[in-house]
Amino acid sequence: MPAASRYRNVVGITRWRLRIPRSASFGRVAGTFAVVAVSWSLAAGHAELQVVIDELDRRIAADQGNAELYLRRGEMHRLHRDWPAALADYERAAGLDPSLHEVDLFRGRMHLDADHPREALAALDRFLAARPGDVRALVHRAEAKVRLGDGSGGARDYTAAIEGLMREGRSPTPEMFIERSRALAAAGPEHRKAALRGLEQGMDLLGRPITLELEALELELALGRTEAALARVERLAETTAAPEPWILRKAEILERSGRTDEARVAYRRVLEGLEARPAHRRRAGPLAELEARARESLARLNPQEGPLHD
């Protein structure tokens, strides 16, 4: 397939993923190009990226004063993990058009990818000075701050990003609440309760996704809130079609807490639930592993009686 055709195919995939109208120029969507880059990474491998870079080389040769072409090629180099080439293109774009503030957004993202959080923070600070409240930049800056050991500052940026999306009528992702919670927890044990409250906010907003439930469970255990953790896993066991993994988790929490009689009961519940399932489904994969863990744990706690047997 000719390079230009392959380039158009990848562009088509990107536009479809973002629902960008065909009539929209890249200049008109420059402010959303960080999101476009994610779609590129999903739609295209290194070979396809090189095709796009080659096409941009051709276009830049014909239009050397076009700052956005350099910016776009810099993003392709970033996705290709060619940091010097990406930086060179960003510098060229900034030199041609000092008002193109997105250059600092992309510089920040590239420095994060290259594990240079201090440089990322400087670039993102400059971008946010020009574009206060930009959600993409706030999330990237939060990550940079956390990597630099500023968990509280990172959490504030995640909060600002979450609130910005909500003002726009958009839903934050569960990952944003998880990262904010981890940033707070990293700031010190005294922030764990606030981290847990933030997760509950996310669950109330997003319909209690399992990823947030799991994060909250670990925080409750870290806080020594055993009863709250047990209540959470019991509630999850009652609301899922496959309760055995949650009952096993409950049993393990009980055992670690020294409540061996209750742990035995919970391990037996796991085995009873599994034994009600067709045998061929229990003999391989996750269910087999689950059964083995429950039997070994019950045998350890009750060596005279041993676990339930088929």
Side-chain angles (χ1 to χ4, degrees):
M1 181 184 293
S5 297
R6 293 174 67 189
Y7 170 78
R8 284 192 295 270
N9 282 351
V10 178
V11 170
I13 293 170
T14 304
R15 290 180 181 274
W16 175 80
R17 285 183 182 275
L18 291 174
R19 291 179 170 82
I20 298 171
R22 287 186 176 274
S23 60
S25 69
F26 274 98
R28 290 171 56 192
V29 297
T32 62
F33 203 84
V35 181
V36 174
V38 174
S39 294
W40 279 109
S41 65
L42 295 172
H46 284 291
E48 286 79 5
L49 286 172
Q50 189 58 56
V51 169
V52 178
I53 290 169
D54 292 344
E55 173 66 11
L56 286 167
D57 288 345
R58 184 190 64 77
R59 296 182 64 182
I60 287 170
D63 188 5
Q64 296 184 24
N66 190 323
E68 288 185 7
L69 288 177
Y70 285 97
L71 187 60
R72 288 160 53 192
R73 191 175 66 179
E75 275 297 273
M76 296 303 103
H77 285 310
R78 179 184 69 80
L79 291 172
H80 218 273
R81 304 186 69 81
D82 186 345
W83 316 133
L87 275 177
D89 275 346
Y90 296 150
E91 294 297 330
R92 181 64 172 159
L96 288 168
D97 185 356
S99 70
L100 196 59
H101 299 297
E102 282 80 6
V103 171
D104 276 323
L105 175 63
F106 299 155
R107 278 192 189 116
R109 173 66 182 271
M110 191 226 72
H111 282 304
L112 281 175
D113 290 349
D115 199 22
H116 300 147
R118 196 167 302 281
E119 291 84 348
L121 181 61
L124 293 164
D125 279 343
R126 289 194 300 270
F127 178 76
L128 282 163
R131 300 279 178 84
D134 185 277
V135 169
R136 301 159 301 166
L138 286 168
V139 169
H140 295 328
R141 190 173 70 175
E143 183 180 348
K145 288 179 177 179
V146 171
R147 290 198 204 176
L148 290 167
D150 182 9
S152 295
R156 286 193 295 273
D157 276 348
Y158 281 123
T159 295
I162 289 166
E163 292 174 350
L165 286 173
M166 293 173 65
R167 281 194 300 272
E168 296 170 9
R170 298 155 58 195
S171 291
T173 64
E175 290 73 22
M176 293 174 74
F177 289 99
I178 289 172
E179 293 302 328
R180 181 178 66 176
S181 172
R182 291 177 180 175
L184 281 169
E190 68 274 15
H191 296 285
R192 286 175 180 166
K193 289 183 179 179
L196 185 57
R197 288 195 299 271
L199 290 171
E200 289 292 348
Q201 177 199 19
M203 284 185 271
D204 290 343
L205 181 67
L206 303 177
R208 311 199 75 82
I210 196 66
T211 52
L212 295 186
E213 291 277 16
L214 288 169
E215 197 76 17
L217 175 61
E218 294 306 318
L219 261 180
E220 282 174 333
L221 292 172
L223 285 163
R225 298 176 53 174
T226 303
E227 291 303 323
L230 290 169
R232 188 179 297 276
V233 291
E234 187 65 39
R235 184 176 66 249
L236 289 165
E238 291 171 355
T239 57
T240 181
E244 290 82 15
W246 296 112
I247 301 170
L248 180 68
R249 187 76 172 103
K250 178 179 180 179
E252 291 169 342
I253 294 169
L254 288 165
E255 183 180 355
R256 282 208 309 271
S257 301
R259 295 158 64 171
T260 53
D261 289 342
E262 294 171 86
R264 287 188 193 97
V265 171
Y267 284 127
R268 286 194 176 98
R269 279 181 64 193
V270 175
L271 293 172
E272 288 164 359
L274 292 173
E275 287 167 356
R277 294 171 180 261
H280 70 277
R281 295 185 59 192
R282 293 165 39 208
R283 293 297 179 255
L287 290 184
E289 181 183 348
L290 197 69
E291 183 171 349
R293 285 171 58 191
R295 289 189 184 282
E296 289 166 8
S297 298
L298 192 53
R300 182 180 61 253
L301 292 180
N302 202 9
Q304 277 95 18
E305 291 183 22
L308 295 178
H309 294 285
D310 292 335

